[in-house]
């Protein structure tokens, strides 16, 4: 069993969290409109305080620690998710897919949008999980690197595959076996998040952009190129461009990617490193091209005919937000039924039509076309086989690697 060692955050990790609150995926995305307003002090202070407490590890058995499953007696599920990450009706008061699940099963879902940032939420639930206590939640949705940490610590329960037939059958190939949860024994993706190259056709004025090399090497783009403040996205895309796999890179590979980006900083090719604020710069043409998140690009394309995207021949990076069942959850069976429900094509299509992230469910396109034909034909929402084949994942990092890599990235970006 891995013991949880409540470490203090290194300066590099603190800088990474601050970057995230200033403009990374913890800032103003459609999914997370409230995250920036929570303030970096809350997340940093909460983590610092908890780290100083010396919380011991929870007891761990194979597949985490269960409680008495009350699913048969209590027809309920407590579901914690990110903001703006569920379909909503015109009144703004109801979630149609959740309502349909309740009508079918009789299981009521208490749906709470109380995940505003991965680090902040970890600080919130860590004392209970470390002490072997119930968090009051049956499903939580966490980004892959934090999902990996909870699995490693034994703080989430192993799933019962017999209750997840649709999930097992319909999970897209590109999400099937991440290195942190081979075979998806503990998690299933809620949505995927792809990193691509976005550009403003008017600002490019005929200049062709097809790769990260074009961003870094074309003198006609000097001072009009953007990269992301999220280390995994920027480094991952750069590694791919250099012919090195984000799934299995070495320290030397990482340093080579940093050096390549540093050259772009030093010669003024890179205008700046941004979070979601690249969206306004790209729309205005201040950035001619940049590394971008697909969910943003879908929305920008709908509002601006000049904005488009390209998937480099070298590939693109995909991460995921994942459903997990924490230790001591009281309604595990009910939770697994809900997880499986969202892998049925109809509810999966309804969800995809509303939130516009990468749908991790195969067989959804025809159902989605009934709702929104443009979305069904958008490879940023429903990747075709060619696009799926170009998808790569950033490998899991040890605590030591995380500290070292973030320190180097912070120096690069000036954070």
């Amino acid at each position: 069993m891995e013991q949880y060692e409540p470490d203090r955050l290194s300066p590099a990790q603190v800088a990474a969290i601050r970057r995230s609150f200033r403009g990374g995926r913890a800032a103003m995305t459609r999914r997370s409109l409230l995250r920036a307003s929570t303030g970096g002090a809350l997340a940093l202070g909460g983590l610092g305080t908890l780290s100083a407490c010396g919380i011991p590890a929870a007891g761990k058995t194979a597949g985490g620690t269960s409680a008495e499953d009350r699913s048969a007696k209590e027809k309920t599920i407590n579901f914690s998710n990110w903001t703006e990450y569920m379909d909503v009706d015109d009144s703004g008061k109801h979630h149609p897919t959740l309502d349909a699940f309740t009508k079918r099963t009789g299981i009521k879902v208490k749906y709470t949008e109380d995940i505003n940032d991965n680090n902040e939420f970890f600080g919130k639930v860590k004392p209970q999980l470390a002490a072997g206590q119930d968090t009051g939640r049956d499903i939580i949705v966490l980004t892959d690197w934090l999902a990996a940490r909870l699995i490693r610590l034994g703080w989430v329960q192993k799933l019962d595959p017999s209750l997840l037939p649709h999930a097992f059958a319909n999970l897209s190939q590109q999400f099937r076996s991440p290195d942190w949860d081979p075979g998806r024994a503990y998690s299933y993706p809620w949505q995927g998040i792809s990193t691509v190259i976005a550009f403003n056709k008017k600002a490019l004025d005929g200049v062709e952009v097809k790769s990260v090399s074009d961003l870094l090497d074309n003198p006609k783009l000097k001072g009009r190129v953007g990269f992301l403040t999220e280390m995994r996205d920027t480094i991952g895309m750069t590694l791919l461009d250099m012919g090195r796999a984000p799934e299995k890179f070495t320290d030397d590979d990482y340093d080579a990617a940093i050096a390549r980006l540093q050259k772009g900083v030093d010669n003024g090719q890179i205008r700046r490193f941004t979070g979601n604020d690249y969206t306004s710069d790209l729309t205005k043409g201040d950035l001619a091209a940049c590394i971008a998140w697909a969910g943003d690009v879908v929305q920008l394309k709908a509002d601006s005919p000049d904005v488009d995207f390209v998937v480099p021949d070298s590939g693109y990076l995909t991460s995921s937000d994942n459903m997990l069942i924490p230790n001591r959850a009281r309604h595990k069976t009910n939770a697994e039924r809900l997880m499986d429900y969202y892998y049925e094509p109809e509810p999966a299509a309804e969800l995809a039509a509303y939130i516009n992230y990468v749908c991790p469910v195969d067989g959804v396109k025809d159902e989605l076309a009934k709702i929104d034909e443009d979305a069904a034909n958008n490879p940023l929402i429903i990747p075709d086989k060619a696009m799926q084949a170009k998808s790569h994942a950033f490998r899991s990092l040890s605590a030591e690697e995380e500290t070292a890599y973030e320190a180097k990235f912070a120096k690069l970006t000036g954070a």
Side-chain angles (χ1 to χ4, degrees):
M1 147 180 154
E2 176 175 335
Q3 292 291 320
Y4 177 66
E5 297 178 0
D7 50 328
R8 293 183 180 277
L9 296 177
S10 70
Q13 290 169 319
V14 170
I17 296 171
R18 284 180 178 143
R19 283 200 309 273
S20 189
F21 273 97
R22 276 203 308 270
R25 284 184 58 215
M28 303 295 285
T29 65
R30 176 178 179 180
R31 188 195 69 181
S32 55
L33 295 175
L34 300 180
R35 271 183 274 179
S37 65
T38 60
L42 173 60
L44 296 176
L47 283 171
T49 301
L50 289 166
S51 294
C53 290
I55 299 171
K60 174 182 174 182
T61 59
T65 306
S66 62
E68 176 191 356
D69 191 346
R70 304 182 184 183
S71 294
K73 299 177 183 178
E74 299 176 2
K75 296 294 185 179
T76 187
I77 300 169
N78 295 308
F79 186 176
S80 284
N81 205 348
W82 300 78
T83 59
E84 301 293 320
Y85 219 17
M86 179 66 76
D87 56 306
V88 181
D89 68 2
D90 291 340
S91 74
K93 297 179 180 179
H94 301 284
H95 303 293
T97 56
L98 289 177
D99 292 345
F101 174 79
T102 298
K103 184 176 181 180
R104 180 200 296 183
T105 64
I107 300 170
K108 294 182 179 180
V109 182
K110 182 181 178 183
Y111 184 74
T112 308
E113 296 179 334
D114 63 343
I115 304 179
N116 296 313
D117 173 78
N118 282 292
N119 284 298
E120 178 193 343
F121 187 75
F122 181 64
K124 186 186 299 184
V125 299
K126 179 171 66 172
Q128 295 157 305
L129 291 172
Q133 298 172 353
D134 176 24
T135 65
R137 299 168 176 87
D138 300 305
I139 298 178
I140 55 178
V141 177
L142 300 175
T143 305
D144 42 19
W145 62 267
L146 184 54
R149 182 188 297 175
L150 265 63
I151 292 170
R152 189 171 66 246
L153 291 166
W155 288 359
V156 293
Q157 298 187 54
K158 197 167 187 177
L159 302 173
D160 182 349
S162 71
L163 296 175
L164 294 156
H166 296 98
F168 179 80
N170 296 335
L171 177 61
S172 295
Q173 186 62 41
Q174 70 184 102
F175 296 106
R176 278 199 173 268
S177 194
D179 64 354
W180 49 269
D181 187 16
R184 292 289 181 181
Y186 295 89
S187 69
Y188 269 94
W190 176 248
Q191 297 291 291
I193 304 161
S194 294
T195 306
V196 296
I197 295 175
F199 57 85
N200 184 310
K201 289 178 279 189
K202 185 176 181 180
L204 284 178
D205 192 26
V207 175
E208 190 173 59
V209 171
K210 290 186 175 181
S211 67
V212 171
S213 287
D214 290 335
L215 298 182
L216 290 172
D217 298 336
N218 192 327
K220 293 181 179 180
L221 298 179
K222 185 174 181 178
R224 300 192 296 141
V225 167
F227 282 77
L228 291 167
T229 54
E230 294 293 329
M231 180 267 286
R232 287 167 175 82
D233 296 291
T234 286
I235 297 295
M237 291 293 283
T238 304
L239 285 168
L240 284 168
D241 188 72
M242 299 168 68
R244 299 169 189 182
E247 296 91 341
K248 53 182 180 181
F249 65 90
T250 65
D251 288 347
D252 287 343
D253 293 334
Y254 186 91
D255 289 344
I258 288 286
R260 181 150 167 68
L261 290 162
Q262 187 66 59
K263 181 180 177 182
V265 172
D266 294 342
N267 65 18
Q269 185 77 6
I270 297 175
R271 182 185 183 93
R272 66 189 184 104
F273 293 86
T274 73
N276 284 90
D277 49 334
Y278 70 79
T279 57
S280 60
D281 287 349
L282 187 64
T283 302
K284 290 185 295 184
D286 292 342
L287 286 175
C290 62
I291 302 298
W293 289 304
D296 293 334
V297 177
V298 172
Q299 296 165 56
L300 290 175
K301 278 173 60 67
D303 297 330
S304 174
D306 291 326
V307 174
D308 211 335
F309 76 97
V310 64
V311 177
D313 289 339
S314 60
Y316 68 102
L317 209 68
T318 301
S319 58
S320 57
D321 288 326
N322 309 276
M323 296 180 283
L324 305 105
I325 299 177
N327 282 358
R328 302 292 183 184
R330 299 184 179 188
H331 310 104
K332 182 174 184 285
T333 298
N334 291 346
E336 288 164 329
R337 291 183 67 182
L338 182 63
M339 292 168 71
D340 192 63
Y341 166 75
Y342 277 105
Y343 276 80
E344 297 178 24
E346 186 173 340
E350 290 183 50
L351 184 65
Y354 185 82
I355 63 177
N356 292 161
Y357 278 81
V358 180
C359 181
V361 184
D362 276 343
V364 165
K365 186 172 183 177
D366 289 344
E367 288 293 334
L368 183 55
K370 298 174 186 177
I371 305 170
D372 186 337
E373 191 168 350
D374 288 341
N377 292 319
N378 190 331
L380 297 183
I381 299 174
I382 306 293
D384 55 25
K385 289 183 178 179
M387 188 160 179
Q388 286 188 29
K390 291 184 177 182
S391 173
H392 295 263
F394 199 92
R395 70 170 174 82
S396 300
L397 301 179
S398 67
E400 293 78 12
E401 287 176 324
E402 180 92 27
T403 299
Y405 291 170
E406 285 288 6
K408 293 174 181 178
F409 192 71
K411 184 177 179 181
L412 169 73
T413 61

